């Protein structure tokens, strides 16, 4: 007897359409097996519930588990086990492409954030984030849980209008959202003008930020606008509070100091200042005389502490500023000009209060003894580096003959000759002790009468620079030693040993050029010095020096004396520039306290001074660098289409950076503009190699480029290799498509070179930031 199999109501046979009801057990098992979040899609596919009814059933189970607190729902389609997701706090760092990351408070690690999470925050905001997983490179990613602190109140940007809708696009690319400006809040701003805005509403996931225009700063290309923008982008204090102006009023009509109470009289010593031609604040003066057993060196430093008293409004503002900030043709001083360029500045032929480091040096350059004391001095001459170097006969013949007419006063000449002789002995001794000395030319921007950049030149140090440098180093060593022995509240200049991983990377690249660095995990500073000496005169010396410099850590201020690695000093601090550095002012006060055997009355702890001045130093450097880069970019906008020779200054997986000969301007040649080839990037040796043609680009490779783009919004300069476009046209259709991680020199996908170790394709956005439209 035959039987017929029953069909389900859906018409499908049993075993094909029928599914048992989904229980929570397999769902929990899958979620608990992961140490990161899982997606609805992953669960549906794994549990064979990837059709619509199955997904609805799965979501119902998941929501029930959430109600039972067995599962945490992170977003619409992300789930995890309770306790799996770690919550951490940190500071938002925005990116121009809309993504960003959180720099964690502890450990220095970062958590990457996607665009949708960045929409509710701004650069510098403090947040709590939950780490939701890792990408295939092992980097954490997450989502913002709570905004703990809004750090931004004012933003600088450019105003634009789209009909009745006004908006401001921030000039700092790390702020990647536009700010809506209502018609009543425009304050007369016109299309394209640079404005300073005050935030009214901070961004949320659903609404963009709103603001009102406080100040119309002017047109984007007005001379000096780049400095005004940097001042605001980097939050540099630049206006004197009313309380400070009230305090310094008494100094406006003050005459020369003449009170010798508690001071030694050194007004008869032929002290001189030696500075740059454009300097106006003279911190230090020097004098040297010969002794039977060596030299007496007098380093007299402006006594700022006699004018800036602890607890005053002026002291608080100086602490806030931390240091003076130097831009091309502009300075934001740490102290008001009545002091920085007036009463504190060691001008010639006027009495000035000073604090002296009086040093006895042996004939061979070894430090014998020193003492500190307050004094009254009278500089006998304001000299320049160029003038002194020319007089000493250490410049080239043309400059030498031109400068010899500008001889120092006769009374000062014997001292200057002795200072020079002593400086050579000090330098030789320091080098023998393993001190690292970089001779990297300074990039100087030259302006025309319209305050527009005319060119960029390199300014090398001369022997007058080295003379002053050695005297200041020795005085700073003495100050550091005095603090180490007698103070519990000193602030030291600390330079830690390099990171072993960076040392290993450096060692590999140096090997390509035939240079050997000590094989120890952390080489002594003398090993760096030996490599520097061995590469003197090498064709790629300048670029190789920059590699050594980048492999080391940044110096900082700290209360714990850990020594100075690069200089090779056991104790070192900053004593010689109290007009422009708050740390030096604190050191002066501490040394005075030691002399008087009384406590320093500073209202700021040594720890807070170290943290603050380390931050303000980096802030000043970043602001100055941003201005110079913008000026270079503006200069190159007038050179589009011009060809230049240069050399490769850096190699990355997305192209090569080229520094132009003589101009000292860098630009990027992207891999897509390097000719018709596949480019393989070797991360260990920092090379790009054409897979087909065999062409290799490494540090120092000479090239000829054409300027193709100079973007003022991003301060980015782009080059093409001369002949690359012709090569691409000639090879079109012959080489096929880029595969894997290889970057084709044409319109292939990716835009990155193949990495020798990478197994999967990398991607990076190099495009311009595209902000959301207000509305």
């Amino acid at each position: 007897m035959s039987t017929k199999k029953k069909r389900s109501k859906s018409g499908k046979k049993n075993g094909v359409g029928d599914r048992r009801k989904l229980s929570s057990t397999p769902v929990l098992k899958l979620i608990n097996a992961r140490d990161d979040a899982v997606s609805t899609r992953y669960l549906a596919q794994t549990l064979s519930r990837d059709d619509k009814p199955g997904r609805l059933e799965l979501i119902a189970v998941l929501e029930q588990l959430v109600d039972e607190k067995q599962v945490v729902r992170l977003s619409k389609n992300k789930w995890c086990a309770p306790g799996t997701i770690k919550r951490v706090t940190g500071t938002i760092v925005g990116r121009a492409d809309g993504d960003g990351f959180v720099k964690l408070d502890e450990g220095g690690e970062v958590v990457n954030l996607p665009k949708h999470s960045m929409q509710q925050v701004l650069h510098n905001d403090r947040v709590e984030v939950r780490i939701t997983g890792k990408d295939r490179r092992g980097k954490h990613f997450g989502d913002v849980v709570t905004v703990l602190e809004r750090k931004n109140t004012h933003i600088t940007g450019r105003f634009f209008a789209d009909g009745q809708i006004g908006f401001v696009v921030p000039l700092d690319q790390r702020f990647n959202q536009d700010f809506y400006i209502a018609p009543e809040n425009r304050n007369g701003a016109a299309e394209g003008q640079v404005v300073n805005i005050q935030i009214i509403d901070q961004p949320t996931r659903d609404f963009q930020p709103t603001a009102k225009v406080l100040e119309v700063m002017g047109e984007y290309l007005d001379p000096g606008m780049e400095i005004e923008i940097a001042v605001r982008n980097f939050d540099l204090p630049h206006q004197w509070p009313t309380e400070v102006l009230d305090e310094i009023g008494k100094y406006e009509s003050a005459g020369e100091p003449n009170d010798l109470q508690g001071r030694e009289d050194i007004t008869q010593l032929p002290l001189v200042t030696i500075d740059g031609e454009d300097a106006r604040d003279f911190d230090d003066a020097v004098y040297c005389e010969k002794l039977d057993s060596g030299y007496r060196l007098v380093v007299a430093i402006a006594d700022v502490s006699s004018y800036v008293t602890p607890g005053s409004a002026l002291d608080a503002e100086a602490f806030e500023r931390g240091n003076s900030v130097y831009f091309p043709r502009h300075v934001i001083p740490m102290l008001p000009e009545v002091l920085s360029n007036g009463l504190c500045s060691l001008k010639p032929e006027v009495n000035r209060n000073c604090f002296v480091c009086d040093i006895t040096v042996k004939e061979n350059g070894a430090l014998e003894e020193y003492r500190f004391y307050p004094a009254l001095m009278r500089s006998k001459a304001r000299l320049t580096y160029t003038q002194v170097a020319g007089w000493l006969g250490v410049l080239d013949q043309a400059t030498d003959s031109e400068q010899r007419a500008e001889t120092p006063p006769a009374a000062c000449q014997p001292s200057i000759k002795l200072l020079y002789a002593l400086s050579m002995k000090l330098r030789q001794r320091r080098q023998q002790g393993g001190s690292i000395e970089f001779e990297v030319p300074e990039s100087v921007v030259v302006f025309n009468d319209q305050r527009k950049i005319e060119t960029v030149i390199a300014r090398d140090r001369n022997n007058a620079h080295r003379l002053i440098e050695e005297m200041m180093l020795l005085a700073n060593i003495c100050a550091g030693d005095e603090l180490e022995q007698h103070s519990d509240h000193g602030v030291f200049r600390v330079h830690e040993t390099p990171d072993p991983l960076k040392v290993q990377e450096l060692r590999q690249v140096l090997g390509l050029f035939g240079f050997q660095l000590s094989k120890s995990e952390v080489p002594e500073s003398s090993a760096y010095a030996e490599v520097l000496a061995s590469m003197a005169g090498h064709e790629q010396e300048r670029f190789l020096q920059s590699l050594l410099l980048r492999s080391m850590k940044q110096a900082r201020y700290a209360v714990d004396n850990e020594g100075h690695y690069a200089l090779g000093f056991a104790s070192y601090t900053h004593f010689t520039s109290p007009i422009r550095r708050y740390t030096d002012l604190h050191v002066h006060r501490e040394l005075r306290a030691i002399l008087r055997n009384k406590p320093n009355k500073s209202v700021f702890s040594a720890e807070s001074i170290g943290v603050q001045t380390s931050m303000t130093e980096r802030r000043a450097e970043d602001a100055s660098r941003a201005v110079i880069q913008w000026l270079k970019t503006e200069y190159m906008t007038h050179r589009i289409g011009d060809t230049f020779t240069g050399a490769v200054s850096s190699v990355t997986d997305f192209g090569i950076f080229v520094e132009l000969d003589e101009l000292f301007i860098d630009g990027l040649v992207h891999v897509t503009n390097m000719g018709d080839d596949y480019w393989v990037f070797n991360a260990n040796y920092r090379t790009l190699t054409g897979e087909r043609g065999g062409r290799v680009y490494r540090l120092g490779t000479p090239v000829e480029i054409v300027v193709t783009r100079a973007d003022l919004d991003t301060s980015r300069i782009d080059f093409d290799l001369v002949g690359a476009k012709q090569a691409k046209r000639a090879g079109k259709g012959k080489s096929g498509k880029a595969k894997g991680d290889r970057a084709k020199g044409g319109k292939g996908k990716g835009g990155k070179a193949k990495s020798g170790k990478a197994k999967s394709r990398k991607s990076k956005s190099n495009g311009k930031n595209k902000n959301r439209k207000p509305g």
Side-chain angles (χ1 to χ4, degrees), residues 128-172:
E128 181 185 29
V129 295
R130 53 190 169 204
I131 301 174
T132 57
K134 292 183 180 180
D135 61 20
R136 56 193 177 192
R137 293 172 295 177
K139 294 185 177 181
H140 289 108
F141 59 85
D143 196 16
V144 174
V145 177
T146 308
V147 179
L148 301 174
E149 185 179 2
R150 297 289 190 178
K151 286 285 190 177
N152 305 285
T153 57
H154 297 78
I155 302 287
T156 301
R158 296 182 70 186
F159 177 83
F160 297 98
D162 184 4
Q164 293 299 310
I165 299 174
F167 58 96
V168 167
V169 179
L171 287 168
D172 187 337

Short mmCIF file of all heavy atoms in Angstrom, two decimals, residues 128-172:
data_model
loop_
_atom_site.label_atom_id
_atom_site.label_comp_id
_atom_site.label_asym_id
_atom_site.label_seq_id
_atom_site.Cartn_x
_atom_site.Cartn_y
_atom_site.Cartn_z
N GLU A 128 33.55 59.58 26.69
CA GLU A 128 33.64 58.18 27.09
C GLU A 128 33.24 57.35 25.88
O GLU A 128 32.23 57.63 25.23
CB GLU A 128 32.70 57.87 28.26
CG GLU A 128 32.77 56.41 28.71
CD GLU A 128 31.76 56.08 29.80
OE1 GLU A 128 30.68 56.71 29.82
OE2 GLU A 128 32.04 55.17 30.60
N VAL A 129 34.05 56.37 25.55
CA VAL A 129 33.76 55.52 24.39
C VAL A 129 33.74 54.06 24.83
O VAL A 129 34.36 53.68 25.83
CB VAL A 129 34.79 55.69 23.27
CG1 VAL A 129 34.74 57.09 22.69
CG2 VAL A 129 36.20 55.38 23.75
N ARG A 130 33.02 53.26 24.07
CA ARG A 130 33.07 51.82 24.30
C ARG A 130 33.81 51.19 23.13
O ARG A 130 33.57 51.52 21.96
CB ARG A 130 31.67 51.24 24.43
CG ARG A 130 30.72 51.54 23.32
CD ARG A 130 29.32 51.13 23.69
NE ARG A 130 28.34 51.63 22.73
CZ ARG A 130 27.06 51.83 23.01
NH1 ARG A 130 26.60 51.57 24.21
NH2 ARG A 130 26.23 52.29 22.10
N ILE A 131 34.74 50.33 23.46
CA ILE A 131 35.51 49.63 22.43
C ILE A 131 34.69 48.46 21.94
O ILE A 131 34.39 47.53 22.70
CB ILE A 131 36.86 49.16 22.99
CG1 ILE A 131 37.67 50.35 23.50
CG2 ILE A 131 37.65 48.39 21.93
CD1 ILE A 131 38.96 49.95 24.19
N THR A 132 34.31 48.49 20.69
CA THR A 132 33.40 47.47 20.16
C THR A 132 34.10 46.39 19.35
O THR A 132 33.46 45.44 18.92
CB THR A 132 32.32 48.13 19.29
OG1 THR A 132 32.94 48.88 18.25
CG2 THR A 132 31.45 49.06 20.12
N GLY A 133 35.40 46.52 19.14
CA GLY A 133 36.09 45.48 18.40
C GLY A 133 37.44 45.92 17.89
O GLY A 133 37.94 47.01 18.21
N LYS A 134 38.04 45.06 17.08
CA LYS A 134 39.32 45.35 16.44
C LYS A 134 39.19 45.09 14.94
O LYS A 134 38.43 44.21 14.51
CB LYS A 134 40.44 44.46 17.00
CG LYS A 134 40.83 44.74 18.43
CD LYS A 134 41.99 43.85 18.85
CE LYS A 134 42.40 44.12 20.29
NZ LYS A 134 43.54 43.24 20.69
N ASP A 135 39.95 45.89 14.16
CA ASP A 135 39.95 45.62 12.73
C ASP A 135 41.01 44.56 12.42
O ASP A 135 41.68 44.04 13.33
CB ASP A 135 40.17 46.90 11.92
CG ASP A 135 41.51 47.56 12.23
OD1 ASP A 135 42.42 46.87 12.75
OD2 ASP A 135 41.66 48.75 11.94
N ARG A 136 41.19 44.25 11.16
CA ARG A 136 42.09 43.15 10.80
C ARG A 136 43.56 43.49 11.05
O ARG A 136 44.42 42.61 11.02
CB ARG A 136 41.89 42.77 9.33
CG ARG A 136 42.07 43.93 8.36
CD ARG A 136 41.55 43.52 6.99
NE ARG A 136 41.64 44.62 6.03
CZ ARG A 136 41.04 44.61 4.85
NH1 ARG A 136 40.31 43.57 4.49
NH2 ARG A 136 41.15 45.64 4.03
N ARG A 137 43.84 44.77 11.29
CA ARG A 137 45.21 45.16 11.63
C ARG A 137 45.43 45.21 13.14
O ARG A 137 46.48 45.61 13.61
CB ARG A 137 45.53 46.52 11.01
CG ARG A 137 45.59 46.50 9.50
CD ARG A 137 45.71 47.91 8.94
NE ARG A 137 44.52 48.71 9.23
CZ ARG A 137 44.39 49.99 8.92
NH1 ARG A 137 45.37 50.63 8.33
NH2 ARG A 137 43.27 50.65 9.20
N GLY A 138 44.39 44.82 13.91
CA GLY A 138 44.51 44.79 15.35
C GLY A 138 44.25 46.12 16.03
O GLY A 138 44.49 46.26 17.23
N LYS A 139 43.73 47.10 15.28
CA LYS A 139 43.47 48.42 15.86
C LYS A 139 42.04 48.47 16.41
O LYS A 139 41.11 47.99 15.77
CB LYS A 139 43.67 49.51 14.81
CG LYS A 139 45.12 49.63 14.35
CD LYS A 139 45.30 50.80 13.40
CE LYS A 139 46.77 50.94 13.00
NZ LYS A 139 46.99 52.10 12.09
N HIS A 140 41.89 49.06 17.59
CA HIS A 140 40.58 49.15 18.21
C HIS A 140 39.68 50.14 17.47
O HIS A 140 40.14 51.16 16.97
CB HIS A 140 40.72 49.61 19.67
CG HIS A 140 41.31 48.57 20.57
ND1 HIS A 140 42.58 48.66 21.08
CD2 HIS A 140 40.80 47.40 21.04
CE1 HIS A 140 42.82 47.61 21.83
NE2 HIS A 140 41.77 46.82 21.83
N PHE A 141 38.41 49.82 17.44
CA PHE A 141 37.42 50.79 16.99
C PHE A 141 36.27 50.77 17.98
O PHE A 141 36.11 49.83 18.76
CB PHE A 141 36.92 50.51 15.57
CG PHE A 141 36.29 49.16 15.37
CD1 PHE A 141 34.95 48.95 15.65
CD2 PHE A 141 37.04 48.09 14.89
CE1 PHE A 141 34.37 47.71 15.47
CE2 PHE A 141 36.47 46.84 14.71
CZ PHE A 141 35.12 46.65 14.99
N GLY A 142 35.49 51.85 17.98
CA GLY A 142 34.43 51.94 18.97
C GLY A 142 33.40 52.98 18.64
O GLY A 142 33.29 53.43 17.49
N ASP A 143 32.67 53.38 19.69
CA ASP A 143 31.57 54.32 19.51
C ASP A 143 31.52 55.23 20.73
O ASP A 143 31.85 54.82 21.85
CB ASP A 143 30.26 53.56 19.35
CG ASP A 143 29.15 54.43 18.79
OD1 ASP A 143 29.47 55.51 18.24
OD2 ASP A 143 27.98 54.04 18.90
N VAL A 144 31.06 56.46 20.53
CA VAL A 144 30.95 57.41 21.63
C VAL A 144 29.72 57.07 22.48
O VAL A 144 28.62 56.90 21.96
CB VAL A 144 30.85 58.86 21.11
CG1 VAL A 144 30.57 59.83 22.26
CG2 VAL A 144 32.13 59.25 20.39
N VAL A 145 29.94 56.96 23.79
CA VAL A 145 28.83 56.71 24.71
C VAL A 145 28.32 58.03 25.29
O VAL A 145 27.12 58.31 25.27
CB VAL A 145 29.27 55.77 25.86
CG1 VAL A 145 28.13 55.59 26.85
CG2 VAL A 145 29.74 54.44 25.32
N THR A 146 29.26 58.83 25.79
CA THR A 146 28.90 60.08 26.46
C THR A 146 29.95 61.15 26.15
O THR A 146 31.14 60.85 26.12
CB THR A 146 28.84 59.90 27.99
OG1 THR A 146 28.00 58.79 28.30
CG2 THR A 146 28.30 61.16 28.67
N VAL A 147 29.49 62.37 25.93
CA VAL A 147 30.40 63.50 25.83
C VAL A 147 30.60 64.04 27.23
O VAL A 147 29.66 64.55 27.86
CB VAL A 147 29.85 64.60 24.90
CG1 VAL A 147 30.82 65.77 24.83
CG2 VAL A 147 29.59 64.04 23.51
N LEU A 148 31.81 63.93 27.75
CA LEU A 148 32.09 64.33 29.13
C LEU A 148 32.32 65.83 29.25
O LEU A 148 31.93 66.45 30.24
CB LEU A 148 33.32 63.58 29.65
CG LEU A 148 33.23 62.06 29.65
CD1 LEU A 148 34.56 61.45 30.06
CD2 LEU A 148 32.12 61.59 30.59
N GLU A 149 32.97 66.41 28.24
CA GLU A 149 33.30 67.84 28.31
C GLU A 149 33.43 68.41 26.91
O GLU A 149 34.14 67.85 26.08
CB GLU A 149 34.61 68.04 29.09
CG GLU A 149 34.97 69.49 29.31
CD GLU A 149 36.27 69.65 30.10
OE1 GLU A 149 36.89 68.62 30.44
OE2 GLU A 149 36.66 70.79 30.37
N ARG A 150 32.73 69.51 26.69
CA ARG A 150 32.85 70.23 25.42
C ARG A 150 34.01 71.23 25.55
O ARG A 150 33.94 72.16 26.34
CB ARG A 150 31.56 70.97 25.10
CG ARG A 150 30.35 70.07 24.89
CD ARG A 150 30.45 69.29 23.59
NE ARG A 150 29.20 68.60 23.27
CZ ARG A 150 29.02 67.88 22.17
NH1 ARG A 150 30.00 67.74 21.30
NH2 ARG A 150 27.85 67.29 21.94
N LYS A 151 35.04 71.03 24.76
CA LYS A 151 36.24 71.84 24.90
C LYS A 151 36.25 73.08 24.01
O LYS A 151 37.10 73.96 24.18
CB LYS A 151 37.47 70.99 24.56
CG LYS A 151 37.84 69.98 25.63
CD LYS A 151 38.51 70.68 26.80
CE LYS A 151 39.11 69.68 27.78
NZ LYS A 151 39.82 70.33 28.89
N ASN A 152 35.34 73.13 23.05
CA ASN A 152 35.39 74.22 22.07
C ASN A 152 34.26 75.22 22.29
O ASN A 152 33.09 74.83 22.43
CB ASN A 152 35.28 73.65 20.65
CG ASN A 152 36.34 72.59 20.38
OD1 ASN A 152 37.50 72.91 20.19
ND2 ASN A 152 35.93 71.32 20.39
N THR A 153 34.62 76.48 22.32
CA THR A 153 33.62 77.54 22.40
C THR A 153 33.69 78.46 21.19
O THR A 153 32.70 79.04 20.79
CB THR A 153 33.81 78.37 23.67
OG1 THR A 153 35.14 78.92 23.69
CG2 THR A 153 33.60 77.51 24.91
N HIS A 154 34.90 78.59 20.60
CA HIS A 154 35.10 79.47 19.45
C HIS A 154 35.85 78.72 18.35
O HIS A 154 36.74 77.92 18.63
CB HIS A 154 35.89 80.72 19.86
CG HIS A 154 35.18 81.57 20.87
ND1 HIS A 154 35.13 81.24 22.21
CD2 HIS A 154 34.48 82.73 20.73
CE1 HIS A 154 34.43 82.16 22.86
NE2 HIS A 154 34.04 83.08 21.99
N ILE A 155 35.51 79.00 17.12
CA ILE A 155 36.12 78.36 15.95
C ILE A 155 36.42 79.44 14.92
O ILE A 155 35.66 80.40 14.77
CB ILE A 155 35.18 77.30 15.33
CG1 ILE A 155 34.80 76.22 16.35
CG2 ILE A 155 35.80 76.68 14.09
CD1 ILE A 155 35.90 75.26 16.69
N THR A 156 37.52 79.27 14.19
CA THR A 156 37.84 80.17 13.08
C THR A 156 37.57 79.44 11.76
O THR A 156 37.95 78.28 11.60
CB THR A 156 39.31 80.60 13.13
OG1 THR A 156 39.55 81.26 14.37
CG2 THR A 156 39.63 81.56 12.00
N GLY A 157 36.89 80.11 10.85
CA GLY A 157 36.57 79.48 9.57
C GLY A 157 36.21 80.51 8.52
O GLY A 157 36.38 81.72 8.72
N ARG A 158 35.71 80.02 7.40
CA ARG A 158 35.30 80.91 6.30
C ARG A 158 33.78 80.85 6.16
O ARG A 158 33.17 79.77 6.21
CB ARG A 158 35.97 80.51 5.00
CG ARG A 158 37.47 80.67 5.03
CD ARG A 158 38.10 80.32 3.69
NE ARG A 158 37.77 81.31 2.67
CZ ARG A 158 38.09 81.19 1.38
NH1 ARG A 158 38.71 80.10 0.96
NH2 ARG A 158 37.78 82.13 0.52
N PHE A 159 33.20 82.02 5.97
CA PHE A 159 31.74 82.12 5.86
C PHE A 159 31.31 81.93 4.41
O PHE A 159 31.90 82.51 3.49
CB PHE A 159 31.26 83.48 6.36
CG PHE A 159 29.78 83.69 6.20
CD1 PHE A 159 28.89 83.20 7.15
CD2 PHE A 159 29.26 84.35 5.09
CE1 PHE A 159 27.53 83.37 7.00
CE2 PHE A 159 27.91 84.53 4.92
CZ PHE A 159 27.03 84.03 5.89
N PHE A 160 30.25 81.13 4.22
CA PHE A 160 29.64 80.93 2.90
C PHE A 160 28.13 80.96 3.06
O PHE A 160 27.59 80.73 4.16
CB PHE A 160 30.08 79.59 2.29
CG PHE A 160 31.56 79.50 2.03
CD1 PHE A 160 32.39 78.86 2.93
CD2 PHE A 160 32.12 80.06 0.89
CE1 PHE A 160 33.75 78.77 2.72
CE2 PHE A 160 33.48 79.98 0.65
CZ PHE A 160 34.30 79.34 1.56
N ALA A 161 27.44 81.26 1.97
CA ALA A 161 25.98 81.30 2.00
C ALA A 161 25.42 80.52 0.82
O ALA A 161 25.97 80.58 -0.29
CB ALA A 161 25.48 82.74 1.97
N ASP A 162 24.35 79.81 1.07
CA ASP A 162 23.61 79.10 0.04
C ASP A 162 22.17 79.57 0.15
O ASP A 162 21.37 79.01 0.89
CB ASP A 162 23.73 77.59 0.25
CG ASP A 162 23.06 76.80 -0.86
OD1 ASP A 162 22.58 77.42 -1.82
OD2 ASP A 162 23.01 75.55 -0.75
N GLY A 163 21.86 80.65 -0.56
CA GLY A 163 20.56 81.28 -0.40
C GLY A 163 20.46 81.92 0.96
O GLY A 163 21.30 82.72 1.36
N GLN A 164 19.44 81.54 1.72
CA GLN A 164 19.26 82.08 3.06
C GLN A 164 20.05 81.32 4.12
O GLN A 164 20.11 81.73 5.27
CB GLN A 164 17.76 82.03 3.42
CG GLN A 164 16.91 82.96 2.58
CD GLN A 164 17.33 84.42 2.76
OE1 GLN A 164 17.46 84.90 3.88
NE2 GLN A 164 17.51 85.11 1.64
N ILE A 165 20.66 80.22 3.69
CA ILE A 165 21.39 79.40 4.64
C ILE A 165 22.85 79.84 4.68
O ILE A 165 23.54 79.81 3.67
CB ILE A 165 21.31 77.90 4.26
CG1 ILE A 165 19.85 77.43 4.27
CG2 ILE A 165 22.15 77.06 5.21
CD1 ILE A 165 19.67 76.02 3.78
N GLY A 166 23.29 80.26 5.85
CA GLY A 166 24.69 80.61 6.02
C GLY A 166 25.41 79.53 6.82
O GLY A 166 24.82 78.88 7.68
N PHE A 167 26.67 79.32 6.50
CA PHE A 167 27.43 78.32 7.24
C PHE A 167 28.90 78.69 7.23
O PHE A 167 29.38 79.43 6.35
CB PHE A 167 27.21 76.91 6.68
CG PHE A 167 27.57 76.75 5.23
CD1 PHE A 167 28.82 76.25 4.87
CD2 PHE A 167 26.67 77.08 4.23
CE1 PHE A 167 29.15 76.10 3.53
CE2 PHE A 167 26.99 76.92 2.89
CZ PHE A 167 28.23 76.43 2.53
N VAL A 168 29.62 78.20 8.22
CA VAL A 168 31.05 78.44 8.34
C VAL A 168 31.78 77.11 8.26
O VAL A 168 31.45 76.16 8.98
CB VAL A 168 31.39 79.16 9.66
CG1 VAL A 168 32.89 79.14 9.93
CG2 VAL A 168 30.89 80.59 9.63
N VAL A 169 32.77 77.07 7.38
CA VAL A 169 33.61 75.89 7.23
C VAL A 169 34.90 76.13 8.02
O VAL A 169 35.65 77.05 7.71
CB VAL A 169 33.96 75.64 5.75
CG1 VAL A 169 34.86 74.41 5.62
CG2 VAL A 169 32.69 75.46 4.93
N PRO A 170 35.17 75.34 9.07
CA PRO A 170 36.37 75.56 9.88
C PRO A 170 37.64 75.46 9.05
O PRO A 170 37.74 74.63 8.13
CB PRO A 170 36.31 74.44 10.92
CG PRO A 170 34.86 74.07 11.00
CD PRO A 170 34.33 74.24 9.60
N LEU A 171 38.61 76.30 9.37
CA LEU A 171 39.89 76.27 8.67
C LEU A 171 40.82 75.22 9.25
O LEU A 171 41.78 74.81 8.58
CB LEU A 171 40.55 77.65 8.73
CG LEU A 171 39.89 78.69 7.83
CD1 LEU A 171 40.38 80.09 8.15
CD2 LEU A 171 40.14 78.37 6.37
N ASP A 172 40.56 74.78 10.45
CA ASP A 172 41.29 73.65 11.03
C ASP A 172 40.61 72.38 10.54
O ASP A 172 39.47 72.10 10.89
CB ASP A 172 41.26 73.73 12.56
CG ASP A 172 42.14 72.68 13.21
OD1 ASP A 172 42.42 71.65 12.58
OD2 ASP A 172 42.54 72.89 14.37
#
